[in-house]
Amino acid sequence: MSRIELLSPAKLNIFLEVIGKRSDGYHELETVMLRTDLSDLMVFEQTSGTQIELRLSDETPPELRSGFPLDSSNLILRAAENLQRRSQVQMGARISVTKVIPPESGLAGGSSNAATTLRGLCRLWNLQPPEDELHEIAATLGSDINFLLSGAKAAICRGRGEIVVPVEVAQEFWFVAVRPKTGNSTPTVFRETNIPSVPESSSGIVRRLTGETDEPLEKFCFNRLTDAACIINGEMSRLMNSMQKCSLKPAFMSGSGSTCFLVADDQHDADRLRSLVECSTGLRCWVLQTST
Ligand code: C5P
């Protein structure tokens, strides 16, 4: 195949607990992630040389262009070059991305692009490496890539985030997400987070996802990184307060932020909440659905 188009979906952390600090500088986590329908579009094309060429499509909105490096700091190029080297491929590729997922948002836009790159290039180059090998590449590049590579709709992720245990989701869930103008630096948020002596458990939210209980999902949503992120990013903290005030619902943060979200009952409720939050904050909101 000489041209492949794939969606590269955003994740949402609906539960995140920090279990401890590791000797490698990372933090041991227990997090529950959902794959959502908010997606970038990636196109992989064959070229005549061995170069990996990366570009943003003309459809990418101007406000998302600056957060997308075109050099080797981009996880897409690192994933592609890693796969090319390990598989000893003598082929190149042209990769074009239409960005939709905002950067520094806790939605794993960059990690998702890296996972999609591994899948896209395996198809373009006709490679069939063992899944373990692809997951090994993913784990060396970042902590969220393994979940997105797994294709699971939901999972409990442990270790740095790279140990993925899929969870069966009994129904669709809806969220209204909004990102303040300022993003969060993930290392800073982790550094400023206090590690609890007794960690929260994800068992409640997993029971809700699997349909063992029908209590409201938001009753179980939790993110240990929120307090530190609110201190670091005052704009985000004010945004969470406005969201709560106008919706009369609890607001949560995804990953290390700065995207915040409300849980909606269904699509109709999500549209209602989106209007409320957009009117109250003046910021653009997204309705996110768990990916089908
Ligand atoms: O792995 P990733 O590139 O997503 O992580 C970015 C940064 O976030 C790491 O360099 C580290 O400072 C912090 N982090 C952490 N513990 C994790 C995941 C990330 O401390 N489990």
Side-chain angles (χ1 to χ4, degrees):
M1 201 147 344
S2 61
R3 186 177 191 278
I4 286 156
E5 266 189 39
L6 292 176
L7 289 174
S8 179
K11 58 88 175 159
L12 198 67
N13 298 82
I14 54 172
F15 176 93
L16 192 157
E17 179 58 295
V18 180
I19 310 291
K21 180 129 198 239
R22 300 163 32 139
S23 53
D24 60 5
Y26 281 86
H27 291 78
E28 195 70 16
L29 301 182
E30 176 160 316
T31 179
V32 176
M33 299 200 219
L34 299 179
R35 198 178 76 213
T36 77
D37 64 343
L38 181 75
S39 303
D40 295 337
L41 176 69
M42 299 187 74
V43 180
F44 303 88
E45 289 171 290
Q46 241 151 25
T47 56
S48 50
T50 55
Q51 282 282 103
I52 310 286
E53 300 164 25
L54 178 62
R55 62 178 288 270
L56 271 173
S57 77
D58 296 340
E59 286 79 44
T60 299
E63 68 274 16
L64 297 184
R65 289 179 171 270
S66 58
F68 189 87
L70 291 168
D71 61 20
S72 60
S73 65
N74 193 310
L75 283 175
I76 296 174
L77 287 176
R78 289 170 51 200
E81 281 157 11
N82 204 315
L83 182 69
Q84 198 183 34
R85 196 172 48 248
R86 284 202 194 207
S87 309
Q88 301 182 333
V89 166
Q90 298 300 319
M91 289 175 276
R94 186 176 305 114
I95 306 175
S96 167
V97 187
T98 304
K99 282 308 282 185
V100 172
I101 308 168
E104 285 197 322
S105 62
L107 298 174
S111 296
S112 175
N113 290 171
T116 306
T117 297
L118 294 175
R119 291 281 173 226
L121 290 181
C122 280
R123 282 174 56 185
L124 190 76
W125 292 337
N126 207 11
L127 304 173
Q128 281 154 347
E131 278 297 291
D132 284 2
E133 222 167 85
L134 285 181
H135 275 279
E136 221 177 278
I137 299 178
T140 62
L141 297 171
S143 307
D144 293 332
I145 304 177
N146 296 79
F147 167 65
L148 293 152
L149 184 69
S150 76
K153 195 165 165 172
I156 310 177
C157 301
R158 298 199 172 89
R160 280 191 294 125
E162 86 285 14
I163 302 168
V164 180
V165 181
V167 171
E168 283 297 321
V169 185
Q171 62 166 91
E172 296 307 318
F173 290 97
W174 299 84
F175 306 90
V176 170
V178 56
R179 181 191 181 276
K181 291 196 179 77
T182 325
N184 290 347
S185 148
T186 304
T188 312
V189 172
F190 270 101
R191 204 169 45 239
E192 297 301 319
T193 293
N194 292 321
I195 296 167
S197 46
V198 183
E200 296 284 333
S201 157
S202 65
S203 61
I205 205 156
V206 170
R207 278 192 294 114
R208 179 62 190 92
L209 291 179
T210 56
E212 281 169 71
T213 171
D214 59 3
E215 290 178 90
L217 181 72
E218 62 203 19
K219 189 183 154 192
F220 304 105
C221 291
F222 173 77
N223 188 331
R224 178 67 63 190
L225 303 176
T226 313
D227 289 352
C230 280
I231 293 169
I232 294 161
N233 186 343
E235 188 200 350
M236 191 196 82
S237 172
R238 287 188 292 280
L239 173 63
M240 287 183 93
N241 285 335
S242 320
M243 291 168 82
Q244 297 186 144
K245 220 162 142 191
C246 74
S247 69
L248 304 177
K249 280 171 148 291
F252 303 97
M253 184 180 86
S254 180
S256 59
S258 59
T259 294
C260 302
F261 66 90
L262 302 171
V263 181
D265 298 336
D266 49 34
Q267 181 162 20
H268 180 74
D269 189 42
D271 290 338
R272 178 186 72 86
L273 289 170
R274 173 168 48 186
S275 302
L276 276 177
V277 177
E278 284 188 341
C279 277
S280 137
T281 65
L283 293 169
R284 182 185 161 207
C285 295
W286 296 274
V287 169
L288 303 188
Q289 188 189 355
T290 40
S291 162
T292 42

mmCIF file of all heavy atoms in Angstrom, residues 42 44 52 54 68 73-81 95 97 110 113-114 117 121:
data_model
loop_
_atom_site.group_PDB
_atom_site.id
_atom_site.type_symbol
_atom_site.label_atom_id
_atom_site.label_comp_id
_atom_site.label_asym_id
_atom_site.label_seq_id
_atom_site.Cartn_x
_atom_site.Cartn_y
_atom_site.Cartn_z
ATOM 1 N N MET A 42 -3.752 11.341 10.444
ATOM 2 C CA MET A 42 -2.379 11.155 9.961
ATOM 3 C C MET A 42 -2.393 10.420 8.617
ATOM 4 O O MET A 42 -3.121 9.446 8.445
ATOM 5 C CB MET A 42 -1.552 10.350 10.987
ATOM 6 C CG MET A 42 -1.448 11.048 12.326
ATOM 7 S SD MET A 42 -0.316 10.194 13.448
ATOM 8 C CE MET A 42 1.277 10.628 12.741
ATOM 9 N N PHE A 44 0.177 8.587 5.809
ATOM 10 C CA PHE A 44 1.513 8.012 5.581
ATOM 11 C C PHE A 44 1.642 7.670 4.098
ATOM 12 O O PHE A 44 0.805 6.955 3.555
ATOM 13 C CB PHE A 44 1.689 6.735 6.411
ATOM 14 C CG PHE A 44 1.484 6.968 7.889
ATOM 15 C CD1 PHE A 44 0.207 6.887 8.454
ATOM 16 C CD2 PHE A 44 2.554 7.295 8.710
ATOM 17 C CE1 PHE A 44 0.023 7.123 9.804
ATOM 18 C CE2 PHE A 44 2.369 7.527 10.069
ATOM 19 C CZ PHE A 44 1.097 7.445 10.621
ATOM 20 N N ILE A 52 12.533 10.324 6.486
ATOM 21 C CA ILE A 52 11.183 10.469 7.037
ATOM 22 C C ILE A 52 10.866 11.965 6.970
ATOM 23 O O ILE A 52 11.553 12.774 7.601
ATOM 24 C CB ILE A 52 11.094 10.011 8.507
ATOM 25 C CG1 ILE A 52 11.710 8.619 8.713
ATOM 26 C CG2 ILE A 52 9.652 10.087 9.004
ATOM 27 C CD1 ILE A 52 10.907 7.474 8.200
ATOM 28 N N LEU A 54 8.216 15.049 7.620
ATOM 29 C CA LEU A 54 7.050 15.345 8.455
ATOM 30 C C LEU A 54 6.516 16.728 8.115
ATOM 31 O O LEU A 54 7.286 17.689 8.019
ATOM 32 C CB LEU A 54 7.462 15.285 9.937
ATOM 33 C CG LEU A 54 6.397 15.620 10.965
ATOM 34 C CD1 LEU A 54 5.219 14.641 10.889
ATOM 35 C CD2 LEU A 54 7.002 15.581 12.377
ATOM 36 N N PHE A 68 3.742 22.300 17.549
ATOM 37 C CA PHE A 68 4.053 21.075 16.801
ATOM 38 C C PHE A 68 5.422 21.201 16.150
ATOM 39 O O PHE A 68 5.548 21.736 15.048
ATOM 40 C CB PHE A 68 2.963 20.847 15.743
ATOM 41 C CG PHE A 68 3.059 19.510 15.058
ATOM 42 C CD1 PHE A 68 2.448 18.387 15.610
ATOM 43 C CD2 PHE A 68 3.744 19.368 13.857
ATOM 44 C CE1 PHE A 68 2.522 17.157 14.980
ATOM 45 C CE2 PHE A 68 3.835 18.137 13.222
ATOM 46 C CZ PHE A 68 3.217 17.035 13.788
ATOM 47 N N SER A 73 12.597 16.521 17.971
ATOM 48 C CA SER A 73 11.933 16.513 19.278
ATOM 49 C C SER A 73 10.491 16.018 19.126
ATOM 50 O O SER A 73 9.820 15.744 20.112
ATOM 51 C CB SER A 73 11.953 17.916 19.910
ATOM 52 O OG SER A 73 11.192 18.801 19.127
ATOM 53 N N ASN A 74 10.011 15.908 17.885
ATOM 54 C CA ASN A 74 8.650 15.410 17.665
ATOM 55 C C ASN A 74 8.640 13.876 17.791
ATOM 56 O O ASN A 74 9.425 13.178 17.140
ATOM 57 C CB ASN A 74 8.159 15.833 16.273
ATOM 58 C CG ASN A 74 6.666 15.623 16.145
ATOM 59 O OD1 ASN A 74 6.148 14.557 16.450
ATOM 60 N ND2 ASN A 74 5.970 16.660 15.713
ATOM 61 N N LEU A 75 7.729 13.371 18.629
ATOM 62 C CA LEU A 75 7.673 11.920 18.885
ATOM 63 C C LEU A 75 7.369 11.112 17.625
ATOM 64 O O LEU A 75 7.716 9.936 17.542
ATOM 65 C CB LEU A 75 6.595 11.617 19.940
ATOM 66 C CG LEU A 75 6.956 11.911 21.393
ATOM 67 C CD1 LEU A 75 5.746 11.689 22.303
ATOM 68 C CD2 LEU A 75 8.120 11.013 21.852
ATOM 69 N N ILE A 76 6.749 11.744 16.634
ATOM 70 C CA ILE A 76 6.452 11.032 15.380
ATOM 71 C C ILE A 76 7.764 10.611 14.719
ATOM 72 O O ILE A 76 7.948 9.461 14.308
ATOM 73 C CB ILE A 76 5.649 11.941 14.414
ATOM 74 C CG1 ILE A 76 4.291 12.264 15.020
ATOM 75 C CG2 ILE A 76 5.529 11.301 13.038
ATOM 76 C CD1 ILE A 76 3.477 13.265 14.226
ATOM 77 N N LEU A 77 8.703 11.568 14.638
ATOM 78 C CA LEU A 77 9.987 11.268 13.984
ATOM 79 C C LEU A 77 10.784 10.266 14.807
ATOM 80 O O LEU A 77 11.421 9.365 14.262
ATOM 81 C CB LEU A 77 10.786 12.560 13.779
ATOM 82 C CG LEU A 77 10.239 13.469 12.687
ATOM 83 C CD1 LEU A 77 11.028 14.762 12.614
ATOM 84 C CD2 LEU A 77 10.269 12.765 11.328
ATOM 85 N N ARG A 78 10.714 10.404 16.140
ATOM 86 C CA ARG A 78 11.464 9.461 16.983
ATOM 87 C C ARG A 78 10.899 8.052 16.859
ATOM 88 O O ARG A 78 11.648 7.073 16.776
ATOM 89 C CB ARG A 78 11.494 9.958 18.421
ATOM 90 C CG ARG A 78 12.402 11.195 18.501
ATOM 91 C CD ARG A 78 12.354 11.923 19.792
ATOM 92 N NE ARG A 78 12.544 11.061 20.934
ATOM 93 C CZ ARG A 78 12.165 11.392 22.170
ATOM 94 N NH1 ARG A 78 11.594 12.566 22.390
ATOM 95 N NH2 ARG A 78 12.373 10.584 23.158
ATOM 96 N N ALA A 79 9.565 7.938 16.797
ATOM 97 C CA ALA A 79 8.942 6.609 16.637
ATOM 98 C C ALA A 79 9.310 6.025 15.273
ATOM 99 O O ALA A 79 9.685 4.852 15.159
ATOM 100 C CB ALA A 79 7.426 6.739 16.773
ATOM 101 N N ALA A 80 9.228 6.867 14.231
ATOM 102 C CA ALA A 80 9.494 6.387 12.868
ATOM 103 C C ALA A 80 10.941 5.939 12.719
ATOM 104 O O ALA A 80 11.228 4.861 12.175
ATOM 105 C CB ALA A 80 9.186 7.506 11.872
ATOM 106 N N GLU A 81 11.870 6.747 13.234
ATOM 107 C CA GLU A 81 13.291 6.409 13.079
ATOM 108 C C GLU A 81 13.662 5.172 13.901
ATOM 109 O O GLU A 81 14.454 4.338 13.475
ATOM 110 C CB GLU A 81 14.161 7.622 13.443
ATOM 111 C CG GLU A 81 14.182 8.605 12.262
ATOM 112 C CD GLU A 81 14.521 10.043 12.635
ATOM 113 O OE1 GLU A 81 14.960 10.271 13.781
ATOM 114 O OE2 GLU A 81 14.339 10.934 11.773
ATOM 115 N N ILE A 95 4.988 11.901 6.134
ATOM 116 C CA ILE A 95 3.908 11.833 7.130
ATOM 117 C C ILE A 95 3.281 13.214 7.246
ATOM 118 O O ILE A 95 3.968 14.204 7.512
ATOM 119 C CB ILE A 95 4.443 11.386 8.514
ATOM 120 C CG1 ILE A 95 5.211 10.060 8.378
ATOM 121 C CG2 ILE A 95 3.308 11.263 9.520
ATOM 122 C CD1 ILE A 95 5.888 9.594 9.666
ATOM 123 N N VAL A 97 0.180 15.484 9.058
ATOM 124 C CA VAL A 97 -0.705 15.450 10.229
ATOM 125 C C VAL A 97 -1.667 16.633 10.179
ATOM 126 O O VAL A 97 -1.243 17.772 9.966
ATOM 127 C CB VAL A 97 0.113 15.539 11.543
ATOM 128 C CG1 VAL A 97 -0.777 15.333 12.753
ATOM 129 C CG2 VAL A 97 1.258 14.550 11.540
ATOM 130 N N GLY A 110 0.633 14.137 21.361
ATOM 131 C CA GLY A 110 1.941 13.716 20.844
ATOM 132 C C GLY A 110 2.142 12.216 20.979
ATOM 133 O O GLY A 110 2.631 11.551 20.059
ATOM 134 N N ASN A 113 0.072 10.393 18.400
ATOM 135 C CA ASN A 113 0.691 10.470 17.067
ATOM 136 C C ASN A 113 1.827 9.460 16.945
ATOM 137 O O ASN A 113 2.013 8.840 15.901
ATOM 138 C CB ASN A 113 1.239 11.876 16.787
ATOM 139 C CG ASN A 113 0.165 12.931 16.582
ATOM 140 O OD1 ASN A 113 0.462 14.115 16.514
ATOM 141 N ND2 ASN A 113 -1.100 12.525 16.482
ATOM 142 N N ALA A 114 2.583 9.266 18.034
ATOM 143 C CA ALA A 114 3.689 8.289 18.000
ATOM 144 C C ALA A 114 3.136 6.869 17.857
ATOM 145 O O ALA A 114 3.643 6.069 17.056
ATOM 146 C CB ALA A 114 4.529 8.404 19.275
ATOM 147 N N THR A 117 1.885 6.384 14.415
ATOM 148 C CA THR A 117 3.020 6.284 13.479
ATOM 149 C C THR A 117 3.533 4.838 13.420
ATOM 150 O O THR A 117 3.811 4.309 12.336
ATOM 151 C CB THR A 117 4.150 7.239 13.914
ATOM 152 O OG1 THR A 117 3.653 8.570 13.836
ATOM 153 C CG2 THR A 117 5.387 7.101 13.051
ATOM 154 N N LEU A 121 3.257 3.020 9.862
ATOM 155 C CA LEU A 121 4.471 2.640 9.116
ATOM 156 C C LEU A 121 4.607 1.126 8.998
ATOM 157 O O LEU A 121 5.144 0.637 7.994
ATOM 158 C CB LEU A 121 5.704 3.262 9.780
ATOM 159 C CG LEU A 121 5.787 4.791 9.633
ATOM 160 C CD1 LEU A 121 7.055 5.315 10.293
ATOM 161 C CD2 LEU A 121 5.723 5.231 8.167
#
